Amino acid sequence: MDERAVEAAAWDVPRPRACGPFLFVGERKFLVKAVSYGTFAPDERGDLFPPRARVREDFAAIAAAGFNCIRTYTAPPDWLMHEARAAGLRVLAGIYWGGENCDFDDPRALARASGTVVAAVHRLRRFPDVVLAYLIGNEIPALVARFHGRRTIEHFLRALYRAGKAEDPAGL
């Protein structure tokens, strides 16, 4: 079966959903057993992941070790999503938009970050059987959060959440 046929069949797999403090896939509780994967030096295409053959080996070892999910810090390329699917892994897809900067009160920064989130979710939503969740608030430095305050950071992240949710309403 080629990648397009597998991708089309992926829509028959139930999407993960939150039910209270738990995640479910269909009627089965999904216990996340994740390992971080990345960040790596960029390759010749700018992907922040190792070569595909290495990723395939890594994913086989990760699955063999009993993990069911990887967590990335940047939006994974499509080929990585195919490799995760082949290894039976779900992906907690980090979406990097520059959260270490001190511009949470700048509407232009919010527009840029929202655009990054929307573009990543738009592309990754084609992998409903692989994406466990989109991660949009990665490691905002404590000093930045203190400087801006809880409300400013929450407003910014809520706007990013809404932008991603509008692009993939069924995604977590």
mmCIF file of all heavy atoms in Angstrom, residues 47-96:
data_model
loop_
_atom_site.group_PDB
_atom_site.id
_atom_site.type_symbol
_atom_site.label_atom_id
_atom_site.label_comp_id
_atom_site.label_asym_id
_atom_site.label_seq_id
_atom_site.Cartn_x
_atom_site.Cartn_y
_atom_site.Cartn_z
ATOM 1 N N ASP A 47 15.226 20.674 7.667
ATOM 2 C CA ASP A 47 14.506 19.851 8.639
ATOM 3 C C ASP A 47 15.385 19.660 9.870
ATOM 4 O O ASP A 47 16.584 19.374 9.750
ATOM 5 C CB ASP A 47 14.158 18.478 8.054
ATOM 6 C CG ASP A 47 13.099 18.554 6.964
ATOM 7 O OD1 ASP A 47 12.328 19.523 6.949
ATOM 8 O OD2 ASP A 47 13.058 17.630 6.128
ATOM 9 N N LEU A 48 14.798 19.806 11.035
ATOM 10 C CA LEU A 48 15.547 19.693 12.285
ATOM 11 C C LEU A 48 15.484 18.275 12.846
ATOM 12 O O LEU A 48 15.225 18.061 14.036
ATOM 13 C CB LEU A 48 15.004 20.707 13.304
ATOM 14 C CG LEU A 48 15.160 22.162 12.893
ATOM 15 C CD1 LEU A 48 14.413 23.087 13.844
ATOM 16 C CD2 LEU A 48 16.623 22.550 12.814
ATOM 17 N N PHE A 49 15.714 17.302 11.959
ATOM 18 C CA PHE A 49 15.666 15.894 12.323
ATOM 19 C C PHE A 49 16.773 15.163 11.580
ATOM 20 O O PHE A 49 17.254 15.633 10.550
ATOM 21 C CB PHE A 49 14.293 15.295 11.970
ATOM 22 C CG PHE A 49 13.178 15.918 12.756
ATOM 23 C CD1 PHE A 49 12.449 16.977 12.247
ATOM 24 C CD2 PHE A 49 12.885 15.457 14.034
ATOM 25 C CE1 PHE A 49 11.444 17.581 12.998
ATOM 26 C CE2 PHE A 49 11.883 16.047 14.782
ATOM 27 C CZ PHE A 49 11.156 17.103 14.264
ATOM 28 N N PRO A 50 17.150 13.988 12.090
ATOM 29 C CA PRO A 50 18.176 13.188 11.404
ATOM 30 C C PRO A 50 17.668 12.685 10.042
ATOM 31 O O PRO A 50 16.471 12.812 9.726
ATOM 32 C CB PRO A 50 18.404 12.007 12.353
ATOM 33 C CG PRO A 50 17.818 12.399 13.652
ATOM 34 C CD PRO A 50 16.728 13.389 13.354
ATOM 35 N N PRO A 51 18.554 12.083 9.255
ATOM 36 C CA PRO A 51 18.116 11.506 7.976
ATOM 37 C C PRO A 51 17.032 10.445 8.185
ATOM 38 O O PRO A 51 16.952 9.804 9.240
ATOM 39 C CB PRO A 51 19.397 10.865 7.418
ATOM 40 C CG PRO A 51 20.516 11.563 8.116
ATOM 41 C CD PRO A 51 19.984 11.942 9.473
ATOM 42 N N ARG A 52 16.221 10.248 7.159
ATOM 43 C CA ARG A 52 15.068 9.360 7.261
ATOM 44 C C ARG A 52 15.439 7.951 7.707
ATOM 45 O O ARG A 52 14.741 7.353 8.540
ATOM 46 C CB ARG A 52 14.324 9.332 5.925
ATOM 47 C CG ARG A 52 12.998 8.621 6.008
ATOM 48 C CD ARG A 52 12.151 8.818 4.782
ATOM 49 N NE ARG A 52 10.838 8.229 4.964
ATOM 50 C CZ ARG A 52 9.798 8.489 4.187
ATOM 51 N NH1 ARG A 52 9.911 9.343 3.196
ATOM 52 N NH2 ARG A 52 8.633 7.907 4.420
ATOM 53 N N ALA A 53 16.532 7.415 7.182
ATOM 54 C CA ALA A 53 16.929 6.054 7.564
ATOM 55 C C ALA A 53 17.247 5.996 9.061
ATOM 56 O O ALA A 53 16.897 5.020 9.735
ATOM 57 C CB ALA A 53 18.133 5.600 6.741
ATOM 58 N N ARG A 54 17.873 7.016 9.586
ATOM 59 C CA ARG A 54 18.196 7.053 11.018
ATOM 60 C C ARG A 54 16.920 7.171 11.851
ATOM 61 O O ARG A 54 16.774 6.533 12.890
ATOM 62 C CB ARG A 54 19.148 8.219 11.311
ATOM 63 C CG ARG A 54 19.460 8.399 12.775
ATOM 64 C CD ARG A 54 20.104 7.115 13.320
ATOM 65 N NE ARG A 54 20.162 7.117 14.750
ATOM 66 C CZ ARG A 54 21.273 7.247 15.453
ATOM 67 N NH1 ARG A 54 22.427 7.401 14.835
ATOM 68 N NH2 ARG A 54 21.227 7.217 16.758
ATOM 69 N N VAL A 55 15.988 8.012 11.387
ATOM 70 C CA VAL A 55 14.712 8.162 12.092
ATOM 71 C C VAL A 55 13.984 6.827 12.128
ATOM 72 O O VAL A 55 13.443 6.434 13.168
ATOM 73 C CB VAL A 55 13.842 9.261 11.440
ATOM 74 C CG1 VAL A 55 12.423 9.241 11.974
ATOM 75 C CG2 VAL A 55 14.472 10.637 11.656
ATOM 76 N N ARG A 56 13.993 6.107 11.021
ATOM 77 C CA ARG A 56 13.336 4.789 10.959
ATOM 78 C C ARG A 56 13.939 3.850 12.011
ATOM 79 O O ARG A 56 13.207 3.169 12.739
ATOM 80 C CB ARG A 56 13.488 4.202 9.559
ATOM 81 C CG ARG A 56 12.740 2.912 9.343
ATOM 82 C CD ARG A 56 12.846 2.406 7.901
ATOM 83 N NE ARG A 56 12.238 3.377 7.009
ATOM 84 C CZ ARG A 56 12.846 3.888 5.922
ATOM 85 N NH1 ARG A 56 14.072 3.509 5.596
ATOM 86 N NH2 ARG A 56 12.230 4.758 5.159
ATOM 87 N N GLU A 57 15.269 3.821 12.112
ATOM 88 C CA GLU A 57 15.938 2.990 13.120
ATOM 89 C C GLU A 57 15.576 3.446 14.532
ATOM 90 O O GLU A 57 15.283 2.621 15.404
ATOM 91 C CB GLU A 57 17.456 3.063 12.940
ATOM 92 C CG GLU A 57 17.983 2.412 11.700
ATOM 93 C CD GLU A 57 19.460 2.705 11.490
ATOM 94 O OE1 GLU A 57 20.122 3.234 12.423
ATOM 95 O OE2 GLU A 57 19.965 2.408 10.390
ATOM 96 N N ASP A 58 15.630 4.761 14.749
ATOM 97 C CA ASP A 58 15.303 5.301 16.071
ATOM 98 C C ASP A 58 13.882 4.951 16.472
ATOM 99 O O ASP A 58 13.627 4.530 17.608
ATOM 100 C CB ASP A 58 15.464 6.829 16.096
ATOM 101 C CG ASP A 58 16.906 7.278 16.023
ATOM 102 O OD1 ASP A 58 17.824 6.451 16.183
ATOM 103 O OD2 ASP A 58 17.114 8.497 15.793
ATOM 104 N N PHE A 59 12.942 5.116 15.550
ATOM 105 C CA PHE A 59 11.538 4.842 15.858
ATOM 106 C C PHE A 59 11.304 3.367 16.149
ATOM 107 O O PHE A 59 10.515 3.016 17.028
ATOM 108 C CB PHE A 59 10.626 5.333 14.735
ATOM 109 C CG PHE A 59 10.444 6.826 14.691
ATOM 110 C CD1 PHE A 59 11.126 7.677 15.546
ATOM 111 C CD2 PHE A 59 9.580 7.390 13.779
ATOM 112 C CE1 PHE A 59 10.956 9.050 15.505
ATOM 113 C CE2 PHE A 59 9.384 8.765 13.724
ATOM 114 C CZ PHE A 59 10.076 9.591 14.595
ATOM 115 N N ALA A 60 11.988 2.496 15.427
ATOM 116 C CA ALA A 60 11.866 1.055 15.708
ATOM 117 C C ALA A 60 12.368 0.762 17.117
ATOM 118 O O ALA A 60 11.738 -0.009 17.867
ATOM 119 C CB ALA A 60 12.638 0.244 14.668
ATOM 120 N N ALA A 61 13.480 1.382 17.507
ATOM 121 C CA ALA A 61 14.025 1.169 18.853
ATOM 122 C C ALA A 61 13.115 1.765 19.924
ATOM 123 O O ALA A 61 12.919 1.173 20.984
ATOM 124 C CB ALA A 61 15.433 1.778 18.944
ATOM 125 N N ILE A 62 12.543 2.927 19.644
ATOM 126 C CA ILE A 62 11.628 3.572 20.590
ATOM 127 C C ILE A 62 10.400 2.697 20.817
ATOM 128 O O ILE A 62 9.983 2.452 21.953
ATOM 129 C CB ILE A 62 11.245 4.988 20.087
ATOM 130 C CG1 ILE A 62 12.442 5.933 20.220
ATOM 131 C CG2 ILE A 62 10.028 5.528 20.822
ATOM 132 C CD1 ILE A 62 12.283 7.269 19.484
ATOM 133 N N ALA A 63 9.820 2.191 19.732
ATOM 134 C CA ALA A 63 8.640 1.321 19.853
ATOM 135 C C ALA A 63 9.002 0.023 20.569
ATOM 136 O O ALA A 63 8.252 -0.451 21.426
ATOM 137 C CB ALA A 63 8.050 1.041 18.469
ATOM 138 N N ALA A 64 10.166 -0.559 20.257
ATOM 139 C CA ALA A 64 10.596 -1.798 20.893
ATOM 140 C C ALA A 64 10.825 -1.620 22.395
ATOM 141 O O ALA A 64 10.665 -2.560 23.167
ATOM 142 C CB ALA A 64 11.870 -2.323 20.226
ATOM 143 N N ALA A 65 11.168 -0.397 22.800
ATOM 144 C CA ALA A 65 11.393 -0.107 24.221
ATOM 145 C C ALA A 65 10.088 0.117 24.987
ATOM 146 O O ALA A 65 10.111 0.343 26.192
ATOM 147 C CB ALA A 65 12.298 1.110 24.366
ATOM 148 N N GLY A 66 8.957 0.069 24.271
ATOM 149 C CA GLY A 66 7.660 0.181 24.938
ATOM 150 C C GLY A 66 7.027 1.563 24.900
ATOM 151 O O GLY A 66 5.973 1.769 25.498
ATOM 152 N N PHE A 67 7.639 2.502 24.200
ATOM 153 C CA PHE A 67 7.030 3.822 24.061
ATOM 154 C C PHE A 67 5.995 3.796 22.945
ATOM 155 O O PHE A 67 6.093 3.010 22.004
ATOM 156 C CB PHE A 67 8.109 4.877 23.758
ATOM 157 C CG PHE A 67 9.076 5.061 24.884
ATOM 158 C CD1 PHE A 67 10.316 4.440 24.856
ATOM 159 C CD2 PHE A 67 8.752 5.848 25.976
ATOM 160 C CE1 PHE A 67 11.220 4.601 25.894
ATOM 161 C CE2 PHE A 67 9.646 6.010 27.024
ATOM 162 C CZ PHE A 67 10.881 5.385 26.983
ATOM 163 N N ASN A 68 4.989 4.660 23.043
ATOM 164 C CA ASN A 68 3.955 4.719 22.008
ATOM 165 C C ASN A 68 3.851 6.102 21.382
ATOM 166 O O ASN A 68 2.974 6.344 20.558
ATOM 167 C CB ASN A 68 2.597 4.281 22.561
ATOM 168 C CG ASN A 68 2.124 5.141 23.721
ATOM 169 O OD1 ASN A 68 2.691 6.183 24.036
ATOM 170 N ND2 ASN A 68 1.059 4.686 24.375
ATOM 171 N N CYS A 69 4.743 7.004 21.778
ATOM 172 C CA CYS A 69 4.610 8.383 21.337
ATOM 173 C C CYS A 69 5.969 9.074 21.369
ATOM 174 O O CYS A 69 6.786 8.793 22.242
ATOM 175 C CB CYS A 69 3.639 9.085 22.289
ATOM 176 S SG CYS A 69 3.120 10.706 21.778
ATOM 177 N N ILE A 70 6.186 9.967 20.412
ATOM 178 C CA ILE A 70 7.355 10.836 20.476
ATOM 179 C C ILE A 70 6.866 12.261 20.633
ATOM 180 O O ILE A 70 5.760 12.605 20.219
ATOM 181 C CB ILE A 70 8.268 10.727 19.240
ATOM 182 C CG1 ILE A 70 7.532 11.159 17.977
ATOM 183 C CG2 ILE A 70 8.855 9.335 19.109
ATOM 184 C CD1 ILE A 70 8.452 11.575 16.860
ATOM 185 N N ARG A 71 7.706 13.083 21.237
ATOM 186 C CA ARG A 71 7.406 14.496 21.424
ATOM 187 C C ARG A 71 8.479 15.291 20.689
ATOM 188 O O ARG A 71 9.662 15.114 20.922
ATOM 189 C CB ARG A 71 7.448 14.824 22.926
ATOM 190 C CG ARG A 71 7.001 16.224 23.259
ATOM 191 C CD ARG A 71 8.214 17.109 23.541
ATOM 192 N NE ARG A 71 7.832 18.295 24.267
ATOM 193 C CZ ARG A 71 7.596 19.482 23.699
ATOM 194 N NH1 ARG A 71 7.707 19.621 22.407
ATOM 195 N NH2 ARG A 71 7.262 20.515 24.433
ATOM 196 N N THR A 72 8.044 16.115 19.738
ATOM 197 C CA THR A 72 8.989 16.949 19.005
ATOM 198 C C THR A 72 8.891 18.383 19.506
ATOM 199 O O THR A 72 7.870 18.790 20.066
ATOM 200 C CB THR A 72 8.713 16.919 17.483
ATOM 201 O OG1 THR A 72 7.462 17.545 17.218
ATOM 202 C CG2 THR A 72 8.729 15.495 16.949
ATOM 203 N N TYR A 73 9.938 19.141 19.279
ATOM 204 C CA TYR A 73 9.938 20.553 19.669
ATOM 205 C C TYR A 73 9.636 21.461 18.487
ATOM 206 O O TYR A 73 9.332 22.632 18.670
ATOM 207 C CB TYR A 73 11.273 20.927 20.308
ATOM 208 C CG TYR A 73 11.422 20.293 21.662
ATOM 209 C CD1 TYR A 73 12.000 19.038 21.805
ATOM 210 C CD2 TYR A 73 10.930 20.923 22.797
ATOM 211 C CE1 TYR A 73 12.110 18.444 23.040
ATOM 212 C CE2 TYR A 73 11.027 20.335 24.037
ATOM 213 C CZ TYR A 73 11.620 19.103 24.158
ATOM 214 O OH TYR A 73 11.708 18.505 25.380
ATOM 215 N N THR A 74 9.742 20.918 17.293
ATOM 216 C CA THR A 74 9.414 21.651 16.076
ATOM 217 C C THR A 74 8.456 20.790 15.261
ATOM 218 O O THR A 74 8.408 19.573 15.436
ATOM 219 C CB THR A 74 10.685 21.958 15.250
ATOM 220 O OG1 THR A 74 11.352 20.726 14.948
ATOM 221 C CG2 THR A 74 11.632 22.878 16.023
ATOM 222 N N ALA A 75 7.705 21.427 14.385
ATOM 223 C CA ALA A 75 6.735 20.683 13.573
ATOM 224 C C ALA A 75 7.467 19.685 12.679
ATOM 225 O O ALA A 75 8.337 20.072 11.908
ATOM 226 C CB ALA A 75 5.910 21.650 12.731
ATOM 227 N N PRO A 76 7.141 18.410 12.815
ATOM 228 C CA PRO A 76 7.843 17.394 12.029
ATOM 229 C C PRO A 76 7.456 17.454 10.555
ATOM 230 O O PRO A 76 6.313 17.766 10.217
ATOM 231 C CB PRO A 76 7.398 16.080 12.661
ATOM 232 C CG PRO A 76 6.160 16.388 13.412
ATOM 233 C CD PRO A 76 6.173 17.839 13.739
ATOM 234 N N PRO A 77 8.409 17.144 9.671
ATOM 235 C CA PRO A 77 8.085 17.068 8.244
ATOM 236 C C PRO A 77 7.185 15.869 7.957
ATOM 237 O O PRO A 77 7.099 14.932 8.756
ATOM 238 C CB PRO A 77 9.450 16.925 7.573
ATOM 239 C CG PRO A 77 10.351 16.377 8.626
ATOM 240 C CD PRO A 77 9.816 16.861 9.947
ATOM 241 N N ASP A 78 6.542 15.906 6.811
ATOM 242 C CA ASP A 78 5.622 14.832 6.440
ATOM 243 C C ASP A 78 6.294 13.459 6.460
ATOM 244 O O ASP A 78 5.703 12.481 6.920
ATOM 245 C CB ASP A 78 5.024 15.085 5.050
ATOM 246 C CG ASP A 78 4.035 16.236 5.032
ATOM 247 O OD1 ASP A 78 3.772 16.832 6.104
ATOM 248 O OD2 ASP A 78 3.536 16.558 3.939
ATOM 249 N N TRP A 79 7.513 13.380 5.952
ATOM 250 C CA TRP A 79 8.178 12.076 5.893
ATOM 251 C C TRP A 79 8.360 11.488 7.293
ATOM 252 O O TRP A 79 8.277 10.279 7.465
ATOM 253 C CB TRP A 79 9.497 12.137 5.137
ATOM 254 C CG TRP A 79 10.555 13.007 5.754
ATOM 255 C CD1 TRP A 79 10.861 14.294 5.423
ATOM 256 C CD2 TRP A 79 11.452 12.649 6.816
ATOM 257 N NE1 TRP A 79 11.885 14.763 6.214
ATOM 258 C CE2 TRP A 79 12.267 13.768 7.073
ATOM 259 C CE3 TRP A 79 11.641 11.496 7.572
ATOM 260 C CZ2 TRP A 79 13.254 13.772 8.061
ATOM 261 C CZ3 TRP A 79 12.628 11.493 8.554
ATOM 262 C CH2 TRP A 79 13.421 12.622 8.783
ATOM 263 N N LEU A 80 8.587 12.334 8.294
ATOM 264 C CA LEU A 80 8.727 11.847 9.657
ATOM 265 C C LEU A 80 7.391 11.309 10.168
ATOM 266 O O LEU A 80 7.354 10.302 10.885
ATOM 267 C CB LEU A 80 9.262 12.946 10.576
ATOM 268 C CG LEU A 80 9.614 12.454 11.974
ATOM 269 C CD1 LEU A 80 10.940 13.037 12.416
ATOM 270 C CD2 LEU A 80 8.525 12.826 12.960
ATOM 271 N N MET A 81 6.309 11.956 9.793
ATOM 272 C CA MET A 81 4.986 11.480 10.195
ATOM 273 C C MET A 81 4.703 10.103 9.587
ATOM 274 O O MET A 81 4.129 9.233 10.242
ATOM 275 C CB MET A 81 3.911 12.487 9.787
ATOM 276 C CG MET A 81 4.097 13.858 10.420
ATOM 277 S SD MET A 81 4.025 13.836 12.216
ATOM 278 C CE MET A 81 2.255 13.687 12.452
ATOM 279 N N HIS A 82 5.138 9.895 8.347
ATOM 280 C CA HIS A 82 4.984 8.575 7.713
ATOM 281 C C HIS A 82 5.799 7.517 8.462
ATOM 282 O O HIS A 82 5.333 6.393 8.656
ATOM 283 C CB HIS A 82 5.401 8.631 6.242
ATOM 284 C CG HIS A 82 4.464 9.396 5.373
ATOM 285 N ND1 HIS A 82 3.186 8.983 5.098
ATOM 286 C CD2 HIS A 82 4.621 10.575 4.719
ATOM 287 C CE1 HIS A 82 2.584 9.865 4.304
ATOM 288 N NE2 HIS A 82 3.439 10.842 4.072
ATOM 289 N N GLU A 83 6.997 7.893 8.881
ATOM 290 C CA GLU A 83 7.838 6.952 9.635
ATOM 291 C C GLU A 83 7.227 6.636 10.998
ATOM 292 O O GLU A 83 7.276 5.495 11.460
ATOM 293 C CB GLU A 83 9.261 7.493 9.788
ATOM 294 C CG GLU A 83 10.039 7.572 8.488
ATOM 295 C CD GLU A 83 10.224 6.236 7.796
ATOM 296 O OE1 GLU A 83 10.259 5.183 8.478
ATOM 297 O OE2 GLU A 83 10.342 6.228 6.557
ATOM 298 N N ALA A 84 6.662 7.640 11.650
ATOM 299 C CA ALA A 84 5.995 7.402 12.937
ATOM 300 C C ALA A 84 4.822 6.449 12.753
ATOM 301 O O ALA A 84 4.625 5.523 13.552
ATOM 302 C CB ALA A 84 5.532 8.724 13.547
ATOM 303 N N ARG A 85 4.039 6.678 11.707
ATOM 304 C CA ARG A 85 2.908 5.787 11.411
ATOM 305 C C ARG A 85 3.393 4.357 11.203
ATOM 306 O O ARG A 85 2.829 3.413 11.754
ATOM 307 C CB ARG A 85 2.176 6.285 10.166
ATOM 308 C CG ARG A 85 1.037 5.384 9.737
ATOM 309 C CD ARG A 85 0.410 5.844 8.440
ATOM 310 N NE ARG A 85 -0.412 7.022 8.665
ATOM 311 C CZ ARG A 85 -0.475 8.057 7.832
ATOM 312 N NH1 ARG A 85 0.243 8.071 6.714
ATOM 313 N NH2 ARG A 85 -1.256 9.079 8.093
ATOM 314 N N ALA A 86 4.449 4.205 10.412
ATOM 315 C CA ALA A 86 4.968 2.865 10.117
ATOM 316 C C ALA A 86 5.465 2.166 11.377
ATOM 317 O O ALA A 86 5.372 0.938 11.481
ATOM 318 C CB ALA A 86 6.088 2.956 9.081
ATOM 319 N N ALA A 87 5.970 2.932 12.334
ATOM 320 C CA ALA A 87 6.475 2.353 13.581
ATOM 321 C C ALA A 87 5.384 2.186 14.635
ATOM 322 O O ALA A 87 5.634 1.657 15.714
ATOM 323 C CB ALA A 87 7.595 3.231 14.133
ATOM 324 N N GLY A 88 4.176 2.662 14.331
ATOM 325 C CA GLY A 88 3.080 2.559 15.291
ATOM 326 C C GLY A 88 3.166 3.582 16.410
ATOM 327 O O GLY A 88 2.643 3.356 17.495
ATOM 328 N N LEU A 89 3.800 4.713 16.134
ATOM 329 C CA LEU A 89 3.963 5.762 17.139
ATOM 330 C C LEU A 89 3.027 6.931 16.872
ATOM 331 O O LEU A 89 2.744 7.265 15.724
ATOM 332 C CB LEU A 89 5.406 6.287 17.136
ATOM 333 C CG LEU A 89 6.491 5.283 17.495
ATOM 334 C CD1 LEU A 89 7.869 5.892 17.263
ATOM 335 C CD2 LEU A 89 6.347 4.830 18.942
ATOM 336 N N ARG A 90 2.576 7.550 17.929
ATOM 337 C CA ARG A 90 1.847 8.818 17.848
ATOM 338 C C ARG A 90 2.859 9.936 18.046
ATOM 339 O O ARG A 90 3.962 9.714 18.555
ATOM 340 C CB ARG A 90 0.782 8.894 18.940
ATOM 341 C CG ARG A 90 -0.298 7.857 18.786
ATOM 342 C CD ARG A 90 -1.521 8.471 18.260
ATOM 343 N NE ARG A 90 -2.583 7.484 18.105
ATOM 344 C CZ ARG A 90 -3.709 7.774 17.517
ATOM 345 N NH1 ARG A 90 -3.922 8.980 17.060
ATOM 346 N NH2 ARG A 90 -4.632 6.866 17.389
ATOM 347 N N VAL A 91 2.464 11.159 17.657
ATOM 348 C CA VAL A 91 3.365 12.303 17.744
ATOM 349 C C VAL A 91 2.707 13.435 18.521
ATOM 350 O O VAL A 91 1.592 13.847 18.198
ATOM 351 C CB VAL A 91 3.780 12.800 16.343
ATOM 352 C CG1 VAL A 91 4.644 14.045 16.433
ATOM 353 C CG2 VAL A 91 4.517 11.698 15.577
ATOM 354 N N LEU A 92 3.399 13.901 19.548
ATOM 355 C CA LEU A 92 3.061 15.161 20.204
ATOM 356 C C LEU A 92 3.860 16.208 19.441
ATOM 357 O O LEU A 92 5.069 16.353 19.640
ATOM 358 C CB LEU A 92 3.463 15.134 21.682
ATOM 359 C CG LEU A 92 2.642 14.220 22.574
ATOM 360 C CD1 LEU A 92 3.365 13.961 23.890
ATOM 361 C CD2 LEU A 92 1.282 14.853 22.829
ATOM 362 N N ALA A 93 3.190 16.892 18.523
ATOM 363 C CA ALA A 93 3.871 17.755 17.559
ATOM 364 C C ALA A 93 4.068 19.164 18.107
ATOM 365 O O ALA A 93 3.121 19.946 18.188
ATOM 366 C CB ALA A 93 3.078 17.806 16.253
ATOM 367 N N GLY A 94 5.293 19.450 18.480
ATOM 368 C CA GLY A 94 5.622 20.799 18.915
ATOM 369 C C GLY A 94 5.617 21.743 17.735
ATOM 370 O O GLY A 94 6.019 21.381 16.628
ATOM 371 N N ILE A 95 5.135 22.949 17.961
ATOM 372 C CA ILE A 95 5.115 23.972 16.919
ATOM 373 C C ILE A 95 5.888 25.166 17.460
ATOM 374 O O ILE A 95 5.412 25.875 18.341
ATOM 375 C CB ILE A 95 3.680 24.359 16.532
ATOM 376 C CG1 ILE A 95 2.911 23.125 16.056
ATOM 377 C CG2 ILE A 95 3.695 25.449 15.462
ATOM 378 C CD1 ILE A 95 1.430 23.359 15.811
ATOM 379 N N TYR A 96 7.083 25.355 16.946
ATOM 380 C CA TYR A 96 7.950 26.430 17.416
ATOM 381 C C TYR A 96 7.588 27.738 16.715
ATOM 382 O O TYR A 96 7.555 27.811 15.506
ATOM 383 C CB TYR A 96 9.418 26.079 17.149
ATOM 384 C CG TYR A 96 10.344 27.199 17.523
ATOM 385 C CD1 TYR A 96 10.663 27.422 18.848
ATOM 386 C CD2 TYR A 96 10.870 28.034 16.555
ATOM 387 C CE1 TYR A 96 11.489 28.467 19.215
ATOM 388 C CE2 TYR A 96 11.700 29.074 16.907
ATOM 389 C CZ TYR A 96 12.010 29.290 18.239
ATOM 390 O OH TYR A 96 12.823 30.326 18.593
#
